[in-house]
Amino acid sequence: MSEQAAAAGNGNVPFVHVQGVSKWFGDLQVLKQIDLDVSEHNVVCLIGASGSGKSTLLRCLNLLEHVEEGEIVVDGQPLTNSKIDVNALRKKIGIVFQAYNLFPHMTVLQNVTLAPRKALGVQRERADEYARSLLRRIGLEEKADEYPDRLSGGQQQRVAIVRALAMGPKLMLLDEITSALDPQLVSDVLNLVRELAESGMTMIVATHEMGFAREVADKVCFLDAGRILEEGRPEQIFTQPREPRTREFLARVLEAEKLG
Amino acid sequence: MHALQQVWHSFFNPHSFTLAMPDIWAGFQINLRIMVIAEVLVLVFALAVAIVRGLPGPAAKPLRALAIAYTDFFRGTPIIIVAFFIGFGLPGLQLGFISTMSIVTYGVITLTLVYTAYVTEVYRAGIESVHASQRAAARSLGLTYSQAMRYVIVPQAVRRVIPPLLNDFVGLQKDTALVSVIGVTEAAAHAQGLSTQLGDFVPYLVAACFFILITIPLARFTDHLVAQRERRERAQAF
């Protein structure tokens, strides 16, 4: 990497650059002219009601959804170029889903080592060793040889995060990863994400956890009906939202949290 | 009383039973051989056809169409007609080794062709029952389409369809008797000959017993697997 490019990674040119991205499911337009820039080592949180397009945007960033219009550039590589090697690109971008999606027929260790071994060609011993060290970090080393159905939801989700991390990604996409968890299991998962943020991982996080977004985000985007209606520093979005829709949404969430 | 005696003599005469036993047992060895060879071939070919049928993209369209045509044709055609085609048709072609295979081999080919079509559908249902999110998870980790199929989708699919596969296995093992129509002297063919010889129907009963001896344990084993899965899935629901 040239010095210029290295400098670019540090904030001049965004690490993730999304411009004018639109997407339709049939007649329904789910993303409308999305523009979003994410600097390296930054955490961007996407907030908004269900169906506002947060998940679809994340899935577009990993090309799990086809982008019909607009441009996405990650680490200087245009994703939306049809000649791009999708598999090579995905090795650099980890995604974690709401429903964990661990492979049920594999042990925890096999879940974590499958992609490094098959997609990166890492030797089994080295892949196992690295996977165990990652599992140790999240306190799940003794579960390495268990099958996912023996783990709690929170444990499964942490394994899913580790599975993505084992590929050494430069960007992590987290898609409402605590939404399916019992409240008492949420904090373990959020702590892990917090650690990742502190270690400088670039992340785009779709979340309903407003407190968490406020704490870890460098930037918060409020999505409404497929549009980024408002974006800014978390303190601004959460204390002085400009848009009435944002205010309305935050008031509703606060109400729900009180009731919960 | 007389009628009962007649039934006894025609179907259950112990003397005929002992007489028929050795020949039918010898014939049944052929059924077993056909069953095992055909089953192995079916399991392999059907998985291949099922995977071809699921290939994505416009480039694979001719292959998909071929796979569909194959399953449609052989699921729709009675085995006995396929047997005539293969058992009498191929030798008539005088095409080198294709026309000079043993009659048992023609029997194996017949059953493999027909059962591959059925089992393809079983595998396909299994592959489709694996949730799309599993494929998304695999692909998002950088695995290619074929890696995702090989390591993530197919292993889960096969586990799920083991009971229906065993069910088709039972069907296949019974249908080995059908290839007697092209001259394979297996258990049913022997039974037919012996029945004429002895003047009763006891040999058929002997043949039936051999088949049942294989199918009942298979059926119970299938039940056991289904029950086991249900227990596991109930446990997971909590």
Side-chain angles (χ1 to χ4, degrees):
Chain A
M1 201 191 269
S2 73
E3 248 172 67
Q4 202 180 358
N10 290 330
N12 298 341
V13 170
F15 189 72
V16 179
H17 176 65
V18 177
Q19 193 174 15
V21 163
S22 293
K23 162 123 197 113
W24 288 261
F25 288 138
D27 290 335
L28 181 70
Q29 188 172 1
V30 286
L31 294 179
K32 297 172 185 161
Q33 294 288 318
I34 297 277
D35 295 326
L36 174 69
D37 284 339
V38 183
S39 304
E40 198 165 14
H41 310 305
N42 271 12
V43 177
V44 169
C45 284
L46 309 177
I47 62 170
S50 300
S52 58
K54 305 186 298 288
S55 291
T56 310
L57 178 56
L58 290 181
R59 292 171 70 89
C60 283
L61 282 162
N62 204 354
L63 295 182
L64 286 174
E65 299 286 353
H66 177 69
V67 178
E68 275 134 352
E69 210 179 276
E71 192 191 21
I72 300 177
V73 181
V74 174
D75 196 17
Q77 275 186 306
L79 263 71
T80 32
N81 180 340
S82 59
K83 289 194 194 80
I84 191 94
D85 178 357
V86 178
N87 298 317
L89 186 110
R90 284 184 180 139
K91 291 169 195 167
K92 296 202 296 186
I93 305 176
I95 186 165
V96 183
F97 305 90
Q98 178 177 340
Y100 338 132
N101 298 355
L102 292 181
F103 307 132
H105 60 301
M106 294 183 182
T107 64
V108 165
L109 191 72
Q110 288 166 338
N111 262 279
V112 178
T113 56
L114 177 71
R117 286 179 55 207
K118 303 303 173 189
L120 299 179
V122 178
Q123 292 292 315
R124 171 182 237 136
E125 292 75 26
R126 285 193 48 205
D128 282 1
E129 202 180 308
Y130 185 50
R132 282 186 194 280
S133 75
L134 286 173
L135 290 169
R136 196 175 311 133
R137 249 176 59 191
I138 60 166
L140 288 178
E141 201 196 5
E142 77 280 7
K143 302 282 187 193
D145 299 312
E146 298 270 18
Y147 285 87
D149 61 358
R150 310 280 302 167
L151 272 60
S152 74
Q155 291 172 332
Q156 289 191 50
Q157 192 58 295
R158 283 185 289 150
V159 171
I161 295 173
V162 160
R163 180 174 70 174
L165 288 177
M167 291 294 286
K170 301 181 83 172
L171 170 66
M172 286 282 277
L173 309 170
L174 308 183
D175 187 4
E176 291 184 28
I177 60 169
T178 57
S179 298
L181 295 178
D182 292 339
Q184 71 271 23
L185 301 174
V186 168
S187 65
D188 281 346
V189 173
L190 290 186
N191 283 336
L192 177 56
V193 179
R194 208 171 273 131
E195 254 176 62
L196 275 179
E198 280 160 12
S199 74
M201 177 66 77
T202 313
M203 289 193 281
I204 306 178
V205 183
T207 185
H208 288 300
E209 305 282 340
M210 296 306 149
F212 177 73
R214 189 168 182 170
E215 178 197 340
V216 301
D218 296 290
K219 179 160 80 177
V220 174
C221 299
F222 172 65
L223 273 82
D224 184 58
R227 238 181 266 281
I228 295 185
L229 205 59
E230 181 168 2
E231 66 174 88
R233 307 279 311 165
E235 52 271 28
Q236 181 255 308
I237 297 279
F238 288 114
T239 53
Q240 298 166 303
R242 279 188 303 270
E243 299 289 332
R245 295 281 296 162
T246 317
R247 244 172 277 154
E248 215 176 285
F249 171 74
L250 290 172
R252 265 210 318 272
V253 172
L254 266 170
E255 191 68 22
E257 273 172 11
K258 266 186 221 149
L259 289 173
Chain B
M1 228 25 227
H2 180 71
L4 261 181
Q5 247 168 3
Q6 207 167 0
V7 167
W8 178 257
H9 269 284
S10 292
F11 293 107
F12 302 104
N13 182 350
H15 183 62
S16 296
F17 205 98
T18 345
L19 277 179
M21 207 62 146
D23 276 1
I24 293 178
W25 173 244
F28 192 65
Q29 310 286 313
I30 296 176
N31 293 83
L32 285 177
R33 220 164 74 209
I34 295 176
M35 169 182 83
V36 170
I37 299 171
E39 180 67 20
V40 170
L41 294 175
V42 165
L43 286 176
V44 174
F45 291 148
L47 183 58
V49 179
I51 288 171
V52 165
R53 250 196 103 158
L55 286 177
K61 202 173 175 187
L63 281 173
R64 282 199 300 269
L66 208 66
I68 292 169
Y70 170 79
T71 44
D72 281 355
F73 182 81
F74 283 103
R75 274 202 310 169
T77 315
I79 295 185
I80 206 159
I81 291 177
V82 179
F84 286 146
F85 253 110
I86 302 295
F88 300 145
L90 291 188
L93 288 176
Q94 298 186 315
L95 268 175
F97 80 96
I98 292 177
S99 303
T100 55
M101 290 186 278
S102 77
I103 201 123
V104 171
T105 311
Y106 291 128
V108 169
I109 293 173
T110 300
L111 291 168
T112 305
L113 281 173
V114 173
Y115 270 87
T116 295
Y118 282 107
V119 173
T120 293
E121 294 301 301
V122 172
Y123 276 131
R124 207 161 66 90
I127 288 170
E128 277 169 13
S129 77
V130 178
H131 199 268
S133 62
Q134 286 286 309
R135 190 165 309 175
R139 296 305 303 277
S140 77
L141 286 164
L143 297 174
T144 61
Y145 176 84
S146 49
Q147 285 173 330
M149 285 300 279
R150 179 167 164 202
Y151 299 112
V152 177
I153 309 298
V154 170
Q156 292 185 60
V158 170
R159 275 179 182 77
R160 280 180 206 192
V161 298
I162 285 173
L165 282 180
L166 283 171
N167 214 25
D168 277 342
F169 196 18
V170 171
L172 170 66
Q173 103 97 5
K174 287 191 303 174
D175 283 349
T176 54
L178 278 175
V179 298
S180 62
V181 297
I182 56 170
V184 179
T185 47
E186 45 67 70
H190 274 292
Q192 199 176 10
L194 285 163
S195 169
T196 321
Q197 230 177 313
L198 298 170
D200 58 32
F201 297 97
V202 176
Y204 291 119
L205 180 70
V206 177
C209 286
F210 283 134
F211 281 99
I212 287 171
L213 233 55
I214 300 287
T215 51
I216 287 184
L218 261 177
R220 288 296 87 77
F221 182 58
T222 311
D223 293 347
H224 166 75
L225 286 179
V226 172
Q228 200 179 38
R229 152 131 355 119
E230 272 170 8
R231 266 202 308 279
R232 231 189 356 249
E233 273 165 13
R234 260 206 308 278
Q236 253 174 35
F238 288 107

